[in-house]
Amino acid sequence: PLIERAARRRDLKLSPDTIRSLYWEKGFSAEEVARYFDCDKRTILRQMKRHSIPRRDKDEARRAHFGLAEVVA
């Protein structure tokens, strides 16, 4: 299994546009994006950093996770 997974990783083509779309437009977490690509969350976070895809702050992440609109005071 580890050899098969390593072979898959070499062939893995992570599109920055797809990562950006899943993460920002569809509201996926980095972990959900990783499951979509069948890879590790750290791989997604590295790719986001490499392609300058900003991460959500804690408030944005919480709103995305719970499907909440922004709270205006």
Side-chain angles (χ1 to χ4, degrees), residues 12-25 33 36-37 43-54:
L12 190 63
K13 302 282 190 261
L14 300 175
S15 160
D17 292 332
T18 303
I19 293 172
R20 186 177 289 106
S21 173
L22 292 172
Y23 185 78
W24 281 104
E25 295 170 22
V33 175
Y36 178 88
F37 283 109
T43 302
I44 297 302
L45 294 175
R46 275 194 307 273
Q47 291 298 316
M48 289 175 71
K49 186 174 183 176
R50 178 177 292 148
H51 296 290
S52 301
I53 300 170

